[in-house]
Amino acid sequence: MDSPSTHSRRAVLTAGLAVAGGSLLASSPGAAAATPSQDGRRADTRPRGGRYVDPRGPEVAEAESKRAFSGRVHRLHLEARKARIDIGSRTVDTWVYGDRLPGEVVRVTAGDSLSMTFRNSLPQPTTLHWHGLGLRNDMDGVPDVTQRPIRPGDSFDYRFRVTQPGTYWFHPHVGVQQDHGLYAPLIIDDPKEPLEYDHEWVVVLDDWLDGVDGSDPDVVLNELNHGRGSMHGNSGSGEGHGSDGGPAHASGGHGEAAGHGNHGTGHDSSPGHGTSNSNSNSNSNHRDHSGHGSGSAGTAVPAWVPPAFPDVDLDRFVPHVNGPGELGLDLANKSLHEVGLGNLPLHGMSATAAAAAASAGAASRQAARASRGARRDDGPGHGHNGPSRLLKSGARSNVLGGMPGSVNYPYHLINGRTKTDPEGFRARPGDRIRIRFINAGGDTAYRVALGGHHMTVTHTDGYPVQHARAEQLLIGMAERYDVLVTAKSGVFPLVAVADGKGKDKTALAVLRTGNGPTPEPSVHPRELEGPLTTADRLRAAEGVRGRSGKPDRVLTMKLMGNMERFNWSFNGYPYTPSQRYAIEEGERVRLVFRNRTAMWHPVHLHGHSFTLPNGGPRKDTTVMRPGQRLAVDFDADNPGLWMLHCHNIYHSESGMMTVLGYRRK
């Protein structure tokens, strides 16, 4: 299948957006511990309490107003829905954006504003996260933190200014929905593009199991983490696409003209997820982190069991009224998670109705726990229609320093196609081609090479690097790389190897500049035996190099957990939306990552880019190998609440997520 080599720009449209209300979770109580760092600065190792910038607060609006704006608004419409998709060797039932896999490329120009009306036609609540963008906080798409999940049948307006050119993408931030096929490229063109090239090829890599012989990412998650389900959404039921994850749905809605959404932290809880939904001013049931703060590799963090709803008089919370018959709570600095009311859909619900929903939710979760226990008794691979998709424990990757992942995907895709019917690209000999690589996989790092060619790396994660020659390139989940190639005459394979997951686990696309047969699916170009380029071998371009000097604040993040328990965390604390690691606007912050696990992790920071040490590139996602220590720096210049998490979605949804929070001045 051939793809067009050119793109069309969107027409410039302007329109007002609907207005809706709601406030956001902005702080929580919590103990803090500080230890001296090697440079004498404070090293914070525990989530902190205090008062934090509200994602809809004036600080966020002010930061948005300072972003360069051309006056052009690109207004788009997007629907997430079920679909039957041809992936090249078979047809699968899955979820997609629009009617294709990957979703259609969205293109805007730096300085413009993106306005997208997003409709959720899925059976579960969802969101959109704009991966890698330094955008306004209330548009970041994180449930329980920056917005309510968008309920089935509802729409939400995302509107924000885009400033940094580069290769980005978007996907949900609810459960393991991304692994159902919900992802699409976002390309931000540079109005002063310095590179010269004849064609562009956007290449999206993905590992695929959804709809294959009954396989479902939600079931895989439950099999991996022993039935605990998702930390962040509706994936924990083990019911797959047919489940809404519980009896109570979260609130969605429309954004307002300035880009503020109908926010709060309403969250549709799935069985196995007990800290999902709205917030209040009580901290009576705050999670006890004692005993988890300084563990090492393999620390035994007890499996987290969601609490039952306590008997709580909702009238003791002070509401504000959004409209007739609607109950809204001021969620800034409050958390219903702390009193166990994680499943209450507060928007548009009276206190009496909310109490009834709480009772129904408790009964539903009790039944779900019993159901999960029965599935665990059946052993791995039982309790659903598909085979076990767990990777054998003996799998190893020398590149990644240990086990390459947890999931044995039956297919690996380039632009939604398997290697038996690959994506094709046509050019003429001598044409200069820009390839934008995006790894949208859930659990797989790829080694990528173009047969018969060397690549020149120009960007990673949207930012320019000093040009570097590469034979093969390692791309972890969520990373992006831009390369230039000069096309030779003939037919050439672009191969992505699922590193460490088996000799036959590859994806294929074809560059055709002349006559010749299509390469065999098993093709293995010699470039895959050449030197491997990784991010640490690159250097930032002069205009984007990090500042030198000591940081104002040091946050130590120990990556913890083990494969047997699948109990991933930062600093031993499984994720809850009320976690906060404090930073302040204007600071230069150092994140010191220490991987104390036997697994590699691609760690991603929302809303910012950080610099790798020793003049390394600016990135938003970095690969952490087992036992590795890495210190990265970023400027705290985008106020709000920002996620930090592993972008192996099965790790993040089993606990390896946390939140960096800007303190109010």
Side-chain angles (χ1 to χ4, degrees):
M1 176 179 290
D2 292 332
S3 62
S5 60
T6 60
H7 65 266
S8 60
R9 294 186 177 273
R10 305 278 181 180
V12 177
L13 299 173
T14 58
L17 303 178
V19 178
S23 296
L24 298 175
L25 180 96
S27 81
S28 66
T35 57
S37 65
Q38 292 181 349
D39 59 14
R41 306 293 180 181
R42 183 175 63 188
D44 294 323
T45 60
R46 298 183 64 183
R48 299 175 59 84
R51 298 188 64 82
Y52 292 87
V53 169
D54 189 309
R56 289 194 63 204
E59 301 92 340
V60 173
E62 181 181 3
E64 178 77 347
S65 70
K66 293 179 179 178
R67 293 186 174 98
F69 181 42
S70 67
R72 294 185 298 268
V73 178
H74 294 260
R75 183 164 185 174
L76 308 174
H77 295 266
L78 182 68
E79 179 184 20
R81 65 184 186 89
K82 292 182 177 181
R84 192 163 177 80
I85 296 294
D86 177 9
I87 61 173
S89 60
R90 65 186 301 160
T91 301
V92 295
D93 292 310
T94 188
W95 299 351
V96 293
Y97 291 139
D99 58 358
R100 53 172 291 175
L101 179 76
E104 183 179 357
V105 176
V106 172
R107 302 194 77 106
V108 296
T109 300
D112 294 350
S113 179
L114 175 62
S115 176
M116 178 179 282
T117 298
F118 175 64
R119 179 170 178 80
N120 179 16
S121 296
L122 301 173
Q124 295 179 0
T126 192
T127 64
L128 285 183
H129 167 59
W130 308 88
H131 185 106
L133 295 191
L135 79 173
R136 58 178 303 146
N137 190 220
D138 54 354
M139 297 288 107
D140 194 43
V142 179
D144 300 336
V145 177
T146 68
Q147 73 168 92
R148 286 188 173 101
I150 305 158
R151 294 181 299 187
D154 281 358
S155 296
F156 187 90
D157 290 313
Y158 289 95
R159 181 164 179 170
F160 51 87
R161 297 178 183 179
V162 293
T163 57
Q164 176 60 38
T167 302
Y168 303 94
W169 61 303
F170 55 93
H171 58 81
H173 222 289
V174 176
V176 291
Q177 291 179 355
Q178 175 193 318
D179 230 18
H180 289 297
L182 294 171
Y183 54 82
L186 171 64
I187 307 302
I188 302 178
D189 290 316
D190 189 341
K192 300 178 180 179
E193 178 59 66
L195 298 179
E196 294 183 359
Y197 48 91
D198 302 297
H199 305 287
E200 177 185 284
W201 197 7
V202 178
V203 173
V204 183
L205 312 171
D206 189 26
D207 39 23
W208 191 269
L209 59 80
D210 195 31
V212 178
D213 301 328
S215 295
D216 184 301
D218 303 319
V219 175
V220 172
L221 176 64
N222 276 306
E223 190 174 349
L224 285 167
N225 68 18
H226 312 290
R228 296 197 306 276
S230 171
M231 305 291 292
H232 218 188
N234 308 280
S235 317
S237 68
E239 301 289 340
H241 295 174
S243 171
D244 290 338
H249 298 290
S251 295
H254 300 281
E256 60 185 87
H260 303 281
N262 179 12
H263 292 140
T265 57
H267 188 104
D268 188 353
S269 173
S270 63
H273 178 53
T275 61
S276 58
N277 210 349
S278 305
N279 310 279
S280 89
N281 55 2
S282 173
N283 62 0
S284 59
N285 280 351
H286 184 71
R287 181 191 302 279
D288 181 6
H289 293 310
S290 61
H292 301 313
S294 58
S296 59
T299 298
V301 179
W304 176 53
V305 178
F309 287 125
D311 293 327
V312 176
D313 178 9
L314 290 179
D315 290 336
R316 68 188 177 89
F317 299 110
V318 180
H320 67 264
V321 178
N322 295 325
E326 295 184 350
L327 173 69
L329 301 182
D330 178 8
L331 302 179
N333 306 297
K334 302 174 184 178
S335 177
L336 281 181
H337 299 279
E338 311 306 341
V339 294
L341 292 176
N343 203 36
L344 292 187
L346 290 172
H347 184 74
M349 178 176 286
S350 67
T352 302
S359 177
S364 174
R365 282 208 308 280
Q366 184 176 0
R369 286 195 292 269
S371 174
R372 288 197 305 276
R375 288 199 296 272
R376 287 197 297 271
D377 291 341
D378 289 339
H382 295 274
H384 56 88
N385 295 327
S388 174
R389 294 298 184 188
L390 302 194
L391 194 64
K392 293 182 179 179
S393 60
R396 288 291 181 271
S397 165
N398 292 331
V399 170
L400 299 170
M403 197 167 177
S406 304
V407 184
N408 184 20
Y409 291 88
Y411 297 109
H412 295 271
L413 312 180
I414 289 180
N415 291 351
R417 310 295 295 178
T418 66
K419 61 186 177 182
T420 59
D421 186 10
E423 171 91 336
F425 178 75
R426 293 184 179 273
R428 297 174 300 179
D431 281 351
R432 193 168 172 85
I433 304 167
R434 181 178 190 166
I435 305 177
R436 299 178 184 261
F437 290 107
I438 302 170
N439 185 350
D443 182 74
T444 305
Y446 291 98
R447 289 186 294 113
V448 178
L450 177 61
H453 296 73
H454 72 266
M455 302 177 287
T456 299
V457 182
T458 63
H459 296 73
T460 181
D461 290 1
Y463 284 88
V465 298
Q466 295 179 11
H467 290 193
R469 175 174 172 144
E471 301 296 316
Q472 59 168 330
L473 184 62
L474 179 69
I475 309 179
M477 291 87 78
E479 288 190 296
R480 290 93 61 213
Y481 286 88
D482 292 15
V483 305
L484 291 175
V485 297
T486 301
K488 297 180 180 179
S489 179
V491 182
F492 305 96
L494 177 67
V495 177
V497 175
D499 194 75
K501 292 195 171 184
K503 293 182 179 180
D504 63 333
K505 300 297 185 180
T506 59
L508 174 67
V510 177
L511 170 61
R512 186 180 295 273
T513 64
N515 296 325
T518 299
E520 293 293 325
S522 59
V523 64
H524 188 87
R526 62 177 179 82
E527 285 77 10
L528 287 169
E529 307 304 324
L532 179 66
T533 297
T534 53
D536 58 307
R537 296 176 179 268
L538 302 174
R539 294 294 174 263
E542 183 175 357
V544 296
R545 291 176 185 167
R547 292 187 291 140
S548 60
K550 293 183 178 181
D552 301 301
R553 185 183 300 268
V554 176
L555 298 176
T556 298
M557 295 291 172
K558 288 172 281 191
L559 286 63
M560 300 173 67
N562 62 52
M563 290 295 294
E564 182 180 2
R565 287 178 173 267
F566 222 74
N567 56 348
W568 309 111
S569 70
F570 286 110
N571 296 328
Y573 307 134
Y575 172 70
T576 119
S578 60
Q579 290 175 351
R580 299 289 180 271
Y581 286 89
I583 60 178
E584 294 184 6
E585 189 171 3
E587 289 182 329
R588 184 165 180 256
V589 180
R590 176 163 295 168
L591 296 173
V592 179
F593 298 117
R594 300 177 184 269
N595 187 356
R596 294 191 169 186
T597 79
M599 173 63 73
W600 75 283
H601 305 275
V603 180
H604 170 53
L605 175 63
H606 286 208
H608 303 75
S609 62
F610 48 75
T611 56
L612 298 187
N614 303 317
R618 288 184 68 169
K619 290 180 64 64
D620 54 70
T621 307
T622 187
V623 170
M624 289 293 300
R625 294 171 176 83
Q628 183 181 2
R629 179 191 182 277
L630 178 68
V632 303
D633 292 350
F634 73 92
D635 292 323
D637 56 4
N638 194 12
L641 304 176
W642 299 103
M643 291 289 296
L644 176 71
H645 64 95
C646 175
H647 221 285
N648 181 316
I649 60 173
Y650 296 95
H651 295 179
S652 61
E653 293 305 322
S654 297
M656 193 174 278
M657 301 187 288
T658 194
V659 179
L660 306 187
Y662 279 68
R663 285 188 181 274
R664 290 176 178 167
K665 293 184 177 180

